[in-house]
Amino acid sequence: KFPFLSFLLAHWMACAYHLVADIEDKDVNWLTESHLVGASPLAVYNTAMYWAVMTMSTIGYGDVTAVTSAERLTSTIAMLIGASVFAY
């Protein structure tokens, strides 16, 4: 049960992280900093999922980072959710 919940939350967080970059439509965001502009959807999802798992597990290597304020807010919420899941 726990692995499924963790995967599902990571998927939602990855989708939310990409959605924030899409909605904001800024010239510089995590997609541009990660050199993913024009990349395949699978490459973008893979990177977003990687970010979500690293954020949830509190490892956070720092190679995919929030650039805009909305991305920072999304990252903060993701950290709180991740901590809450692991505390449960």
Side-chain angles (χ1 to χ4, degrees), residues 36-76:
L36 291 169
V37 175
S40 71
L42 183 60
V44 174
Y45 177 76
N46 188 30
T47 305
M49 188 67 154
Y50 167 80
W51 167 85
V53 171
M54 291 300 110
T55 301
M56 280 179 54
S57 64
T58 68
I59 293 173
Y61 291 126
D63 49 351
V64 179
T65 58
V67 177
T68 67
S69 295
E71 291 170 359
R72 284 189 207 96
L73 178 63
T74 305
S75 296
T76 302

Side-chain angles (χ1 to χ4, degrees), residues 76-88:
T76 302
I77 292 168
M79 285 184 259
L80 291 171
I81 291 170
S84 299
V85 166
F86 284 112
Y88 175 71

